[in-house]
Amino acid sequence: MHDLAGRFCAEPFEHFEILLDGRVSPCCSLWVDLRLGNVHAADLSAIWNGALAQEMRRSILDGSFRHCRKDRCAMIVNGALPHRGEVSEPHLRAAIDNGATVMEKGPRHLFLAHDATCNLACPSCRSGLIAASGAQKQRLNRVAERVVLPAVASGDLRKLSVAGQGDPWASPHYRSILSALAEDGCPPLHLALYTNAVLMSEKTWQAYEGLERHEITVCVSVDAASAFTYARLRPPGRWEQLLRNLAFIGEMRARGAVRLFELNMTVQADNYVEMAEFARLARSVGCDHALFYLIRNTGSHLGPHYADCDLSTPAHPEHAALLEVLRDPLFADPFCRLFDIQTLREEACGPDAPPPDAFAELVRRRMRSGAAEDWSAEGMALLEINRPWRAAQRFLRAVDRDPSARNRLDLGVALFLAGLPAEAMPHLESGQGDDSLSAEERAALDTCLAAARAESAA
Ligand code: SF4
């Protein structure tokens, strides 16, 4: 149980988060159950000081925190909420001292998560590409006129975050807001961009260069440290384009046009072995931090696949391998922020850490040596536990280091088993030139090739 007596939280007194259906949350929508109103039915001021917003503030002032998810809120779980006596900002002090639930000034932090339009269809987030329809765009424009732009013009706003859903550069609605922010006369604020960065090129930025009057921070969701994994987890993003844009954002960070630059990875079964390389990628492009979060079941799109993606439970066959990855001393560096993975690292490094199993041992060897044989051995171990796609990732690394017919053949088999016959075929064909195959292996290869050709032709 968390002792919240005498504690205070500023979020309901400052934060206004617009969700996909237009409802408004007083802080992170996963941490609190109460919604304050709907921007499709009411304007900013009616919601900001409405009965529900006041009820939320009252629940903080009376110390009950009754609308907060005490098992989820990181501020509560980590004991990070300040004592009331420690709060010094005048608008918060006034609320505490007077028990005031009506705020004289508008929200300080506006978080936009109400347009899902995005150029990518990441399986961890959605099951296909999403773009607002014509009617939806009109509704979104009304939200901009009635809520977002008045909040920006009020001068009360300190921070605007775009976007908790969708991508700021893919959404015409978000782009129209960014255009307004780029205009002369717009009060300066902290603009926090959450983006996949595939469209955030130098050319795009030039069209919005007035944004540089604001304090800009950029957090890019990447989820991969290789083109192969990126293609799997961030379709249809182009890795080369992403790398060019990351380099451009890194240059902006170096010249001070961007104040904070971070890459983030949603850690899941398809990418956890790239965590260390991901941290190195973030450093190489000039980031301040590499952020890591566990994948969460945030919607129906993952369905039954969630259990396969989520490595956090010991029941997952690769859980021990994740712990091996987390034992890398690189993750002790404050450059890496582990958030909800931190407890797993403590488990991995603590005195009661479970001994590595055979598969985790392979992962550890691979993490240290990078040799083709280790990648290949890990791929074989993955095939044995029926993980052909992840086996293909490891075989690809083996081929990178040693493009022998044998390694390519193993890659082809894994791709074929992963349901990618067209991609598998050239690698399978290369195996035909491998004289070391036994008669049994050659027969299996011929069967595999025939099936791949038939499936590709169909
Ligand atoms: S859930 Fe946490 S962050 Fe949100 S209002 Fe409650 S205490 Fe504050």
Side-chain angles (χ1 to χ4, degrees):
M1 244 347 239
H2 306 280
D3 180 10
L4 298 173
R7 301 280 181 161
F8 181 74
C9 178
E11 288 295 288
F13 300 82
E14 299 186 332
H15 188 100
F16 193 100
E17 180 164 333
I18 311 175
L19 307 177
L20 210 46
D21 57 4
R23 290 185 301 160
V24 174
S25 177
C27 80
C28 169
S29 60
L30 300 175
W31 297 354
V32 70
D33 292 329
L34 194 67
R35 301 292 179 250
L36 310 181
N38 194 306
V39 292
H40 296 304
D43 65 17
L44 176 70
S45 57
I47 298 172
W48 180 237
N49 276 322
L52 292 165
Q54 291 193 58
E55 160 57 19
M56 183 69 210
R57 291 174 196 138
R58 200 171 296 116
S59 74
I60 303 295
L61 293 171
D62 67 19
S64 68
F65 291 70
R66 57 184 164 273
H67 300 296
C68 304
R69 294 283 310 264
K70 299 176 181 73
D71 57 332
R72 282 202 177 170
C73 166
M75 301 296 286
I76 294 176
V77 171
N78 298 326
L81 290 173
H83 288 280
R84 290 171 181 223
E86 295 167 346
V87 178
S88 58
E89 293 90 332
H91 67 292
L92 300 177
R93 206 55 264 160
I96 295 170
D97 294 342
N98 305 327
T101 56
V102 172
M103 301 304 289
E104 275 180 34
K105 297 204 168 179
R108 293 191 156 219
H109 181 195
L110 186 56
F111 193 104
L112 308 186
H114 57 285
D115 183 2
T117 301
C118 189
N119 50 316
L120 301 187
C122 310
S124 60
C125 172
R126 56 193 63 194
S127 47
L129 285 170
I130 296 176
S133 66
Q136 286 168 328
K137 281 181 191 162
Q138 286 183 3
R139 270 159 70 85
L140 292 168
N141 288 344
R142 283 197 292 277
V143 173
E145 285 159 19
R146 290 170 49 179
V147 177
V148 181
L149 298 179
V152 170
S154 71
D156 296 335
L157 202 64
R158 300 287 184 273
K159 181 176 179 183
L160 179 69
S161 299
V162 196
Q165 278 280 345
D167 185 83
W169 306 105
S171 152
H173 169 65
Y174 290 145
R175 284 176 88 129
S176 73
I177 292 167
L178 294 177
S179 290
L181 291 175
E183 284 174 11
D184 289 343
C186 176
L189 43 77
H190 170 186
L191 174 61
L193 292 168
Y194 297 90
T195 174
N196 60 54
V198 173
L199 300 175
M200 193 173 166
S201 64
E202 185 168 9
K203 191 170 167 206
T204 301
W205 190 255
Q206 282 166 356
Y208 295 82
E209 62 182 5
L211 288 177
E212 292 196 16
R213 78 159 53 78
H214 302 290
E215 179 182 331
I216 294 168
T217 57
V218 183
C219 185
V220 182
S221 46
V222 176
D223 292 356
S226 70
F228 196 65
T229 302
Y230 189 73
R232 163 85 166 176
L233 297 182
R234 316 282 301 172
R238 286 169 41 231
W239 180 246
E240 294 305 324
Q241 179 66 49
L242 173 73
L243 293 183
R244 276 195 294 279
N245 294 353
L246 294 181
F248 168 63
I249 300 166
E251 284 165 21
M252 290 206 292
R253 174 71 185 98
R255 68 176 162 85
V258 163
R259 300 287 180 86
L260 182 76
F261 177 27
E262 299 172 320
L263 297 194
N264 82 61
M265 172 185 260
T266 299
V267 175
Q268 51 201 292
D270 279 331
N271 64 10
Y272 72 98
V273 292
E274 296 186 5
M275 287 178 73
E277 283 168 82
F278 184 79
R280 287 189 277 274
L281 170 70
R283 263 200 203 287
S284 74
V285 295
C287 281
D288 296 273
H289 302 113
L291 315 181
F292 298 91
Y293 303 90
L294 283 170
I295 191 168
R296 295 286 174 191
N297 205 4
T298 51
S300 57
H301 51 278
L302 281 171
H305 303 300
Y306 178 68
D308 190 37
C309 299
D310 174 28
L311 298 153
S312 64
T313 62
H316 194 287
E318 292 173 65
H319 177 76
L322 171 65
L323 297 186
E324 281 302 331
V325 169
L326 290 172
R327 280 180 196 141
D328 191 319
L330 179 147
F331 295 113
D333 188 324
F335 179 81
C336 294
R337 301 205 164 166
L338 296 180
F339 298 97
D340 51 0
I341 302 177
Q342 180 61 31
T343 49
L344 286 174
R345 179 158 203 276
E346 284 158 16
E347 183 190 330
C349 300
D352 302 324
D357 66 11
F359 178 62
E361 185 63 39
L362 280 170
V363 173
R364 182 182 17 214
R365 278 174 48 204
R366 199 281 300 160
M367 298 287 292
R368 301 218 167 120
S369 79
E373 315 82 77
D374 287 343
W375 283 102
S376 182
E378 195 194 335
M380 285 298 174
L382 279 161
L383 275 188
E384 275 172 28
I385 58 171
N386 197 21
R387 297 287 189 278
W389 170 258
R390 293 204 278 287
Q393 288 176 298
R394 313 315 192 260
F395 289 134
L396 186 78
R397 295 302 174 91
V399 169
D400 277 350
R401 282 152 182 77
D402 171 14
S404 63
R406 166 59 70 167
N407 282 342
R408 289 195 62 194
L409 175 57
D410 289 343
L411 172 61
V413 170
L415 286 168
F416 178 70
L417 293 174
L420 299 165
E423 284 84 347
M425 246 189 318
H427 301 295
L428 291 171
E429 281 163 354
S430 84
Q432 289 180 308
D434 184 350
D435 296 336
S436 68
L437 293 185
S438 66
E440 198 181 21
E441 285 173 322
R442 184 158 300 285
L445 169 62
D446 289 344
T447 307
C448 208
L449 252 175
R453 287 188 180 120
E455 280 191 44
S456 283

